[in-house]
Structures are given as structure tokens and as C-alpha cells.
């Protein structure tokens, strides 16, 4: 590629995604010559020797390494241009708080990481940095490592999702100890803002011996929408997953480490669009080491397949939802774990009435073919809505159910005692939806940014009402090249990344539909 054309591409392709607060584009100095490695606080690190100021849009040029050693609020952060590897890392000697009021984008081949602490110099103390992010986090590079070093001198990064808009998280590659490893994540959205996963978020195991650097998963406010992905805490310490509530939980899948030495009970903070409905699950066997986890997915819809049969004193299961339990050995050699107790949360909207003892918990180990009720002999319980969430205290399974790693799933659902009608188990009320103040006024696509792009861009759209949404990309001949989204979405504003790697330069069309509503935009790929 000619030098002039390459420079033009850098100016287009490496520009940050859209931001809530716009400042100037400030680049590291290597874009015009020899790659550099420099600290944020040093003028020589930056093009023209000018230090960034609050609100600037930061770009780590191709081949450069930027070491964050000062706290700062910026509009956006882009690492690399997709041609040559760049690196953004946090200082090993200074604790940094970085607030990004727009998006973080790590391009192909680039690195975003922490390193082991030497802070204060000569002492074994963790270096704890914090990233507050209002927009989206898109990692397409080769390394995302947010927990590094050895105990107790860790270098760790806590990510806090903030703001009233939606934030998406997407990362390439599979989890291991140096890639896609998170330390701590906090959900602290306001209004109708959500965190929407485009890939798994997996928090490392951590250590209860060093609580200041532990891998906390904090639900403060706002919903996490996992889709087909999962929000996973590998830690076997119960206290590291905390603060979840009806105002902050996961719609979809949550994974938790169970126990490395014995059986354990863990609470899974899941729910759906109808409300917060967590479940407690007890394991009876130990895992080999931290790294295994139980994956719990809340499945909306009728737990009766249409031809399910019932045993164990029940004649109906919930038509509202069920829970899918899958064991994942992760990085351990643990081939299986067994489970014997399931406590499901309930509410009045689940077709359950207060003051009766005819509710049951049921399980299916054969993909909904047969549902078997857990008795109410050892644990006598009565439905009661005075506490939130309310848990049904069912008996344990007489013979623990063994799950082999990723082999088969166990399903759990609310059920009712045979011959009773106290509990319909049908949806009777719908919880209040997103805050109207956070609902967009209309339906439509915004122009993708950057545009032109190479090879990645962000596509934003808004929904005034909830509905099934499809977002597809077509080439100039009308041929579909990618389905970016085909799912139900509540009213709100959304952002979806699109990577055109493998596609030819040219004009492409993005098409958004929801019900009878339709909008299209053109975008330009330049390679």
C-alpha cells in the first residue's frame, strides 16, 4: 500500500468509535515514523509533544505501546489500526483510574492488558486499576489480560460499566490465563441502560487471601443480557458474586465455580423480562481445582415440551420458565460433578398464590421428556411473598444427579402437586418495563462509525417498542453476507459491532427490521 494511501487509511480506520463527549483526536507519536513505547504522562509519547486533555479521543498508533500511568477522562480509546500490533497497558507502579465516555476498541493483533505490580517499588502489594466505560468494549486483538502477575503482587483491572445507554462487550478468542481473563466486573448502569454480551465474560478464580485484588462480580444497578453467551465467575468463594437484586441481575446465563474441596450451595442471579428469578443449587462432590463451573441458563417459555410426562407427585410444570444446568470442567481435569438440591425463586406473576403448600420443584434429566417432582417431606414449606426473592424449600434429590462436562444438561422448574389448583403456574402479570425516560422516541438506524471503515465498524440502532429484531448486512448485489442480530429486544438504544474481515472493498447495506418497521443504511468498506 502506498504511504499516502496508508496514512489516509490510518486516519479513517483507527479513529475511535462514536463517543458521548467529543474532543480532539490525540495520537501516540509513532504513527508518522518509528514505533514508540511511552508513558501517558510524557509529552514525547504524543504526536507533536502535546499531552491529552479531558475529553480527547485517544488513538494508540500502529506499532506503538502506551503505558497508562495517570488517571484521565477521555472520549474514546482505540488501540491499533488492524495492520500492525499495538499495545495499551496499565503501569506496574501507579494506580490508574481511566474513564471512557464513549467506546474502547482494540484492533486486530493488538493487546490490552495489565502486568504484575511493583507498587510501591519493592513491596508485594497489588496494583489495582479501574476502567469506567460508558459505551462499548470491542476487543479484536490477540490478548486481553486483566489479571496478571503472581500473588500477592498482582496487577489487576476492575471494569465498571456505567451510563444510561446500553454497553456491548465483544471479544475474540477463547479464555485462558492470558487471554480474555477478567479480574473484577461491576454493573452500575442507570435508567434503562444494559450490558449486552457479544461473547463470554469470564472472571478468574482469584484468591480470598488477597481480598483487595479479588475477582468480584458486582451487580449494583442494571441488567446484563447474555444472549447465547455467559457471565462466569470461576471463583469458588461465594462472597465474590454480590449485590444482585431485582434491580440488577442477568437475563440469560450465569456460571459459577462450585467447590474445590467438598459440596457447596451457590446462588445464580438470573431472571428474564418478567423479573428477577434466581436459583440456588447444591453440589455434592468437589471439583479438581478452581476453573470448573456450573452454567445456569434461564429459559423463557413452557417447561412442558408438549409431550412431557410427570412423576413424583406432580401434574404440571411452569409455562413461564425453566432453568438449564450444565457442568463445564473448564481448565480442570474434573470430569463430572453431582447435584442434589435446587431452590427456585418465585413470585405472584408466576401463577403462584400465597399461603399454600402445593408448590413443588421438579427436575428433568432427559431433555424435558420426563419431569420428576422433589417431595415436601423433609422440608415443609408454604408460599410466602413477604421477602424478595421468595425461595421454595424443596426436598433434596435422594440420589444426586451426575452431570458430565458439557455432555448433557439438567432442567429444573416450578411444579405443582398432583390434583391441586392453588398454583396455575401460568404468567399472570408482567413486571414494569424499562424506565420510559430511557426509551428512544422512534425506530431507526444511525450511520455506522467509522465510515468508511476497515475492517470493523459499529452499527447503532434504536427501538421505541420491544420486539423481535433482525439486523443484516448485504452486499451491493443484494446478497446477505452477515446476520448480526435476530432476537427479541426491549425498547432502548443498541450498538452492534461488524467485522468485514474476508469481504471485498465496496458498498454494503445494513438492514434493520422489527415487525413492520424497516430502515436501511449504506456503508463503505475500504481496504
Amino acid at each position: 500500500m502506498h504511504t499516502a494511501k496508508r496514512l489516509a487509511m490510518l486516519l479513517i480506520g483507527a479513529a475511535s468509535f462514536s463517543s458521548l463527549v467529543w474532543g480532539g483526536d490525540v495520537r501516540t507519536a509513532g504513527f508518522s515514523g518509528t514505533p514508540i513505547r511511552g508513558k501517558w504522562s510524557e509529552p514525547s509519547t504524543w504526536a507533536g509533544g502535546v499531552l491529552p486533555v479531558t475529553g480527547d479521543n485517544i488513538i494508540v498508533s500502529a506499532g506503538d505501546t502506551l503505558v497508562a500511568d495517570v488517571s484521565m477522562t477521555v472520549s474514546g480509546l482505540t488501540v491499533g489500526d488492524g495492520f500492525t500490533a499495538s499495545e495499551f497497558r496499565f503501569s506496574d507502579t501507579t494506580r490508574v483510574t481511566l474513564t471512557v465516555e464513549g467506546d474502547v476498541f482494540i484492533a486486530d493483533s493488538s493487546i490490552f492488558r495489565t502486568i504484575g505490580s511493583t507498587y510501591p517499588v519493592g513491596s508485594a502489594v497489588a496494583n489495582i486499576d479501574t476502567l469506567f466505560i460508558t459505551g462499548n468494549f470491542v476487543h479484536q486483538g490477540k490478548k486481553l489480560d486483566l489479571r496478571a502477575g503472581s500473588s500477592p503482587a498482582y496487577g489487576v483491572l476492575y471494569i465498571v460499566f456505567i451510563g444510561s445507554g446500553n454497553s456491548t462487550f465483544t471479544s475474540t478468542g477463547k479464555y485462558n490465563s492470558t487471554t480474555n481473563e477478567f479480574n473484577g466486573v461491576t454493573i452500575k448502569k442507570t435508567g434503562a441502560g444494559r450490558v449486552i454480551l457479544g461473547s463470554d465474560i469470564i472472571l478468574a478464580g482469584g484468591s480470598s487471601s488477597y481480598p483487595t485484588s479479588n475477582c468480584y462480580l458486582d451487580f449494583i444497578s442494571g441488567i446484563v443480557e447474555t444472549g447465547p453467551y455467559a457471565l462466569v465467575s470461576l471463583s469458588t468463594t461465594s462472597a465474590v458474586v454480590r449485590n444482585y437484586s431485582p434491580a440488577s441481575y442477568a437475563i440469560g446465563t450465569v456460571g459459577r465455580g462450585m467447590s474445590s474441596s467438598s459440596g457447596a450451595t451457590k446462588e445464580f442471579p438470573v431472571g428474564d423480562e418478567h423479573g428477577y428469578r434466581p436459583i440456588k443449587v447444591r453440589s455434592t462432590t468437589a471439583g479438581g481445582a478452581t476453573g470448573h463451573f456450573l452454567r445456569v441458563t434461564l429459559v423463557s417459555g413452557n417447561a412442558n415440551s408438549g409431550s412431557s410426562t410427570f412423576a413424583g407427585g406432580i401434574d404440571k410444570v411452569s409455562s413461564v420458565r425453566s432453568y438449564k444446568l450444565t457442568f463445564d470442567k473448564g481448565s480442570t481435569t474434573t470430569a463430572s460433578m453431582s447435584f442434589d438440591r435446587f431452590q427456585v425463586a418465585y413470585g405472584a406473576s408466576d401463577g403462584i398464590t400465597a399461603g399454600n403448600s402445593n408448590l413443588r420443584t421438579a427436575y428433568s434429566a432427559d431433555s424435558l421428556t420426563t419431569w420428576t417432582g422433589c417431595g415436601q417431606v423433609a422440608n415443609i414449606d408454604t408460599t410466602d411473598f413477604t421477602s424478595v426473592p421468595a425461595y421454595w424449600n424443596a426436598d433434596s434429590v435422594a440420589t444426586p444427579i451426575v452431570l458430565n462436562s458439557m455432555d448433557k444438561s439438567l432442567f429444573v422448574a416450578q411444579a405443582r402437586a398432583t390434583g391441586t389448583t392453588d398454583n396455575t403456574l401460568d404468567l399472570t402479570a408482567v413486571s414494569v418495563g424499562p424506565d420510559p425516560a430511557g426509551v428512544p422516541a422512534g425506530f431507526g438506524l444511525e450511520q455506522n462509525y467509522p465510515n468508511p471503515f476497515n475492517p470493523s465498524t459499529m452499527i447503532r440502532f434504536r427501538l421505541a417498542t420491544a420486539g423481535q429484531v433482525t439486523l443484516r448486512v448485504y452486499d451491493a448485489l443484494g446478497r446477505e453476507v452477515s446476520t448480526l442480530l435476530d432476537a427479541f429486544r426491549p425498547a432502548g438504544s443498541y450498538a452492534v459491532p461488524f467485522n468485514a474481515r474476508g469481504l471485498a472493498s465496496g458498498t454494503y447495506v445494513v438492514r434493520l427490521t422489527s415487525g413492520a418497521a424497516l430502515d436501511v443504511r449504506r456503508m463503505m468498506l475500504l481496504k
Side-chain angles (χ1 to χ4, degrees), residues 238-512:
S238 294
V240 301
V241 182
R242 58 191 188 179
N243 296 320
Y244 40 83
S245 71
S248 190
Y249 59 90
I251 294 178
T253 302
V254 170
R256 297 197 65 175
M258 297 303 290
S259 173
S260 297
S261 58
S262 61
T265 298
K266 293 293 170 63
E267 189 171 28
F268 293 79
V270 294
D272 55 22
E273 298 293 351
H274 303 302
Y276 175 52
R277 294 294 183 269
I279 182 174
K280 294 179 182 178
V281 180
R282 185 171 71 182
S283 61
T284 61
T285 54
T290 299
H292 66 274
F293 61 95
L294 180 65
R295 186 188 302 260
V296 173
T297 304
L298 190 147
V299 181
S300 295
N302 199 336
N304 187 337
S305 67
S307 57
S308 298
T309 58
F310 305 105
I314 61 169
D315 62 8
K316 185 178 181 178
V317 289
S318 173
S319 67
V320 183
R321 67 181 66 86
S322 58
Y323 301 81
K324 181 181 179 181
L325 281 57
T326 308
F327 173 66
D328 190 331
K329 71 177 184 179
S331 59
T332 72
T333 57
T334 304
S336 63
M337 291 191 79
S338 60
F339 305 88
D340 76 336
R341 193 167 190 193
F342 318 102
Q343 294 171 275
V344 179
Y346 62 89
S349 65
D350 301 327
I352 295 170
T353 59
N356 79 87
S357 296
N358 294 317
L359 188 62
R360 296 290 184 269
T361 299
Y363 65 91
S364 174
D366 55 9
S367 299
L368 313 187
T369 300
T370 305
W371 284 98
T372 302
C374 299
Q376 187 175 258
V377 177
N379 297 286
I380 306 300
D381 206 354
T382 302
T383 55
D384 184 356
F385 300 139
T386 57
S387 62
V388 178
Y391 280 104
W392 182 252
N393 192 24
D395 287 352
S396 304
V397 177
T399 302
I401 300 168
V402 178
L403 293 180
N404 297 316
S405 181
M406 304 304 290
D407 177 32
K408 69 173 183 177
S409 296
L410 174 69
F411 291 84
V412 176
Q414 294 161 343
R416 70 181 185 188
T418 300
T420 65
T421 58
D422 308 71
N423 307 299
T424 67
L425 303 184
D426 298 325
L427 186 66
T428 58
V430 179
S431 61
V432 176
D435 183 353
V439 176
F443 166 92
L445 280 165
E446 297 178 15
Q447 188 62 54
N448 64 297
Y449 188 88
N451 188 48
F453 66 98
N454 178 32
S456 300
T457 189
M458 188 70 76
I459 300 169
R460 297 179 183 273
F461 65 90
R462 58 191 182 278
L463 301 174
T465 58
Q468 187 73 15
V469 178
T470 61
L471 185 67
R472 295 188 171 95
V473 178
Y474 300 85
D475 65 16
L477 298 178
R479 297 173 297 194
E480 181 180 331
V481 298
S482 180
T483 296
L484 303 179
L485 181 66
D486 185 2
F488 179 88
R489 288 289 183 266
S493 298
Y494 296 88
V496 178
F498 172 54
N499 190 319
R501 180 188 297 170
L503 297 179
S505 296
T507 300
Y508 290 83
V509 175
V510 58
R511 184 175 188 266
L512 173 72

Side-chain angles (χ1 to χ4, degrees), residues 6-24:
R6 178 174 173 80
L7 180 56
M9 289 303 302
L10 292 177
L11 294 173
I12 295 170
S16 169
F17 289 165
S18 59
S19 306
L20 299 180
V21 178
W22 283 99

Side-chain angles (χ1 to χ4, degrees), residues 2 13-14 41 80 106 149 179 182-183 218 232 268 312 373 385 416 448-450 468 474 515 525:
H2 296 300
S41 61
I106 300 97
T179 303
F182 281 77
N183 184 75
D218 267 321
V232 179
F268 293 79
F385 300 139
R416 70 181 185 188
N448 64 297
Y449 188 88
Q468 187 73 15
Y474 300 85
L525 171 62

Side-chain angles (χ1 to χ4, degrees), residues 49-64:
V50 179
L51 289 171
V53 297
T54 298
D56 278 338
N57 194 50
I58 306 303
I59 301 167
V60 183
S61 301
D64 288 355

